[in-house]
Amino acid sequence: MANPFDGLDDDQGGYQKALADNVNKRLMKGIEDIKGKYANGTNERDDPDRAPTGAAYQAKQQAILQKQILMEKENQHKVDICNMRSAKEQAKHLAAENDENDCCDSDDEFDKLLDEVEKDPEILRIRQQRLEEIRQTQVKRAENLAKGHGQYRLIHQDEFLPECTSSRWVAVHFFHNDFQRCKIMHHHLQIVAIEHVECKFLKIDADKAPFFVNKLKVKTLPTLIVFQDGLVVDRLVGFESLTDDPSEPDKWHTGKLQQWLSNTGAITYTAPREEVLEEMKRLGLVEKGSIWSKNNMFDEDD
């Protein structure tokens, strides 16, 4: 930086030069501090209100992933050993029933058989294949978490395209703060987002995203749009197909939304039996063997 006090006499110039050097030194230190702080770019900073894309977060996720993989391997090994021991006990029991004096009933023979099973190439191949599948699943899960999956996040209009194209499956809820049904959709999506890491769940204020509201022809709120590789594959307008009772259109099970999302391919979901029973009970149906019928149908008179 140029000396701003050039041209002064020696006494004044010497004093002012020392002052200028001190100021320059402090400015340069401040600049270096700023460069160091942002040397890795803003993507290296973890923002709790946004997608966790920072290096620190990713490193932590990788450490967690490795720990999970090791635990899965240990658990799988324990399961294999338990299964083999169970098979050994069953074989011993069958052998004892067939012939109590059978020489194959000895522990040595069964230990030998167990060793042979453990060394069987086909069994080893199946075990390794299973462990690799577990590892791949955990790796994919960690990658999705690093992209912001596993949470229900608010985004702005300028973030819409990057967010919708950075993951294979993305579901975006167009909402309005004053609409009660949008709040109901918020409640259910918050639950689904945590349970289904395979899809990214986002929300965007329709009032603040006029371009995409017009581009995607969003005319009714709430509207939930599902993207696959950045392309629209389906949309849910209001609560259509989620409610069974017209008199209570706002009361529906989260599983209904999960089933709809599963039909689009965005998530993998199978309705648990408890949920089916709850829905059938709500509709006034009872189970009779494998048949569902109304409470007042086919019942004998007292």
Side-chain angles (χ1 to χ4, degrees):
M1 183 179 291
N3 186 356
F5 301 103
D6 286 343
L8 299 177
D9 57 46
D10 292 341
D11 292 337
Q12 290 179 327
Y15 172 76
Q16 298 296 349
K17 183 177 184 303
L19 179 61
D21 289 343
N22 182 270
V23 171
N24 288 340
K25 184 181 297 184
R26 293 172 64 184
L27 285 173
M28 293 304 296
K29 185 178 183 301
I31 291 172
E32 290 301 320
D33 288 343
I34 293 174
K35 286 183 178 179
K37 183 177 181 180
Y38 295 102
N40 293 325
T42 56
N43 283 339
E44 294 297 319
R45 299 174 60 198
D46 289 337
D47 186 344
D49 192 40
R50 309 295 292 277
T53 56
Y57 181 90
Q58 293 181 5
K60 182 179 178 180
Q61 289 298 317
Q62 287 297 326
I64 294 174
L65 171 62
Q66 292 301 323
K67 184 177 180 181
Q68 290 176 338
I69 292 174
L70 290 175
M71 291 179 63
E72 290 288 350
K73 288 183 178 180
E74 292 177 0
N75 292 337
Q76 186 63 40
H77 182 68
K78 291 178 181 178
V79 169
D80 291 341
I81 294 299
C82 288
N83 290 339
M84 291 178 183
R85 288 176 177 172
S86 177
K88 173 182 175 181
E89 291 300 323
Q90 291 178 6
K92 288 175 65 177
H93 180 69
L94 291 173
E97 289 182 348
N98 292 331
D99 187 357
E100 294 182 358
N101 297 322
D102 196 330
C103 63
C104 292
D105 194 31
S106 67
D107 287 341
D108 291 340
E109 288 294 331
F110 281 106
D111 287 340
K112 181 179 179 182
L113 177 62
L114 184 60
D115 290 338
E116 292 177 354
V117 171
E118 289 181 330
K119 295 176 182 178
D120 187 288
E122 183 63 18
I123 291 179
L124 291 175
R125 185 190 66 79
I126 294 174
R127 181 188 297 175
Q128 289 301 319
Q129 180 179 348
R130 177 58 181 154
L131 290 174
E132 179 61 21
E133 290 174 354
I134 293 173
R135 190 189 72 82
Q136 290 293 339
T137 300
Q138 294 298 331
V139 168
K140 186 63 178 177
R141 177 181 176 83
E143 290 176 352
N144 285 337
L145 289 174
K147 293 177 181 178
H149 294 229
Q151 51 186 309
Y152 180 47
R153 296 183 291 112
L154 174 67
I155 62 170
H156 303 291
Q157 183 166 262
D158 59 344
E159 301 168 305
F160 188 88
L161 286 178
E163 288 282 7
C164 290
T165 57
S166 61
S167 296
R168 178 169 175 76
W169 289 102
V170 181
V172 182
H173 173 208
F174 285 82
F175 73 94
H176 191 288
N177 281 321
D178 296 334
F179 291 4
Q180 182 61 30
R181 287 193 171 182
C182 291
K183 296 176 182 178
I184 295 174
M185 184 63 78
H186 284 329
H187 168 75
H188 291 285
L189 285 174
Q190 181 69 44
I191 297 172
V192 177
I194 295 173
E195 292 184 4
H196 296 278
V197 183
E198 63 268 32
C199 179
K200 183 192 292 182
F201 289 90
L202 307 169
K203 55 184 174 180
I204 187 167
D205 191 334
D207 275 348
K208 299 178 180 179
F211 176 80
F212 289 106
V213 167
N214 181 62
K215 186 73 174 177
L216 296 170
K217 296 180 174 58
V218 177
K219 299 183 182 300
T220 303
L221 299 178
T223 289
L224 181 65
I225 301 180
V226 175
F227 298 85
Q228 181 182 12
D229 296 324
L231 300 176
V232 175
V233 295
D234 208 346
R235 68 175 62 204
L236 178 66
V237 179
F239 295 160
E240 60 183 7
S241 77
L242 299 181
T243 58
D244 294 314
D245 189 349
S247 65
E248 294 181 320
D250 295 342
K251 292 185 178 180
W252 44 274
H253 200 285
T254 305
K256 284 285 192 178
L257 179 59
Q258 290 172 295
Q259 188 63 59
W260 182 86
L261 288 165
S262 178
N263 291 339
T264 69
I267 67 173
T268 301
Y269 174 76
T270 301
R273 177 170 172 79
E274 293 77 11
E275 186 177 308
V276 173
L277 290 173
E278 180 182 332
E279 188 67 15
M280 293 301 101
K281 182 179 180 182
R282 192 185 67 79
L283 295 174
L285 300 176
V286 294
E287 187 177 17
K288 299 191 176 195
S290 60
I291 304 298
W292 287 94
S293 63
K294 286 287 186 181
N295 283 326
N296 59 352
M297 295 179 63
F298 309 111
D299 287 338
E300 295 181 356
D301 292 335
D302 293 334

